[in-house]
Amino acid sequence: MLLFIPADDRDEWVKIGGILKDEFGDDGWTIWDEWSQTGRNYNARDARAVWKSLGNNDTRAKIGTLIHVAKRYGWGRASAPPIAPPKPRPAPAPEPVNRSTQAYAGELWLAGCWDDDAVGRHPYARKKGIEWAAGAKRGIASGKLIGRNADCVIVPVRERALGQIQAVQCINTEGDKQTFGPIKGGCLVLGNTLDKKIPWYVAEGWASAVSVVFHHHRGNAVCAVAFGKHNLDATAQILAEVFEPEEIVVLREAD
């Protein structure tokens, strides 16, 4: 339902946050934050601050209002959200000498498709048992490791977990990975980061993190994607400094 509603109007964005918090408490945070990330001006720190400022019953809008808004944007009149899966199209060329990989990462992220079904139907996601977007997008990318015009899952790397996107990792249909932009100082966090007492983990890759949070713990956990074993400890340090959970477990995969 939420995918039918643009997350760009701030008043509507806050109202929907209030509805979800009123209905689900802090369990609604993950739903609202993932939808918020579809907005053009998404800012992770702002989203957390707004959510914390929302008190239960501080809005007269209820779940019926959310349904009404969704219907206004077409929900109920179509079988799928109006966000189409990516179609083959000319891809941005591999980064030229005069353009940084970080700039290319930004272009890839903006051009990607956030639809749960589109990401879930990507061959790599299906192989890993991932049926929804899980913080990622799907799009076309080109690079030496992934090939030209490759159909990829595009996973964002956020500055100190909450900041702007500083890089993306592109995973093609064969599972080959290529990162554009700097990984150092960044990660991706999945799960309800408002709960400090649930299990918190750090995993090397996106698929592992999704499996930990949503398959093993049924959503009742948090896991950060470190984007490689060399970044595991640094990512754990970021979690400790930014979120201050009670305990962080680093998941080290056998070589």
Side-chain angles (χ1 to χ4, degrees):
M1 183 193 303
L2 279 178
L3 282 178
F4 281 84
I5 306 172
D8 299 314
D9 182 281
R10 188 172 182 85
D11 290 341
E12 201 158 67
W13 174 67
V14 173
K15 179 190 293 184
I16 290 173
I19 293 170
L20 292 175
K21 191 168 187 178
D22 189 43
E23 289 288 329
F24 306 110
D26 280 339
D27 289 340
W29 156 253
T30 302
I31 300 170
W32 185 67
D33 185 54
E34 289 177 356
W35 169 69
S36 298
Q37 292 178 46
T38 65
R40 292 189 298 269
N41 299 317
Y42 173 76
N43 180 285
R45 288 189 176 88
D46 183 40
R48 285 177 62 84
V50 169
W51 182 265
K52 289 181 179 180
S53 73
L54 295 171
N56 289 338
N57 299 315
D58 67 351
T59 174
R60 294 183 179 180
K62 300 298 180 183
I63 198 69
T65 302
L66 176 58
I67 294 172
H68 174 75
V69 173
K71 285 182 176 179
R72 176 153 48 89
Y73 286 103
W75 180 71
R77 299 197 300 269
S79 59
I83 304 175
K87 298 178 180 179
R89 63 184 186 278
E95 67 283 356
V97 175
N98 63 350
R99 184 174 59 170
S100 71
T101 57
Q102 190 167 4
Y104 184 61
E107 293 176 13
L108 292 175
W109 184 250
L110 289 175
C113 174
W114 201 298
D115 180 38
D116 281 336
D117 189 51
V119 177
R121 286 191 287 108
H122 187 275
Y124 178 78
R126 293 176 64 180
K127 179 180 178 181
K128 297 296 183 177
I130 300 171
E131 300 178 347
W132 59 292
K137 289 186 176 183
R138 184 174 178 177
I140 306 297
S142 295
K144 292 181 179 179
L145 301 181
I146 56 176
R148 186 163 180 80
N149 292 351
D151 179 8
C152 293
V153 172
I154 303 175
V155 186
V157 183
R158 293 192 176 276
E159 179 185 356
R160 288 186 63 78
L162 292 177
Q164 298 298 314
I165 292 174
Q166 65 184 45
V168 297
Q169 183 180 76
C170 297
I171 310 172
N172 68 13
T173 56
E174 302 299 320
D176 300 319
K177 302 174 182 178
Q178 184 164 355
T179 301
F180 299 96
I183 291 178
K184 184 177 180 181
C187 62
L188 173 67
V189 181
L190 302 174
N192 184 2
T193 56
L194 298 178
D195 193 335
K196 315 296 185 182
K197 297 182 179 180
I198 59 177
W200 284 61
Y201 299 94
V202 179
E204 290 186 25
W206 173 70
S208 297
V210 175
S211 180
V212 166
V213 175
F214 300 103
H215 295 167
H216 295 293
H217 288 278
R218 300 184 182 276
N220 194 35
V222 175
C223 190
V225 184
F227 298 97
K229 61 182 179 181
H230 61 284
N231 204 37
L232 286 168
D233 292 331
T235 299
Q237 185 64 31
I238 290 173
L239 294 186
E241 294 174 356
V242 175
F243 300 103
E244 300 180 343
E246 291 188 356
E247 183 181 11
I248 300 171
V249 177
V250 177
L251 304 175
R252 303 184 189 276
E253 299 178 11
D255 293 330

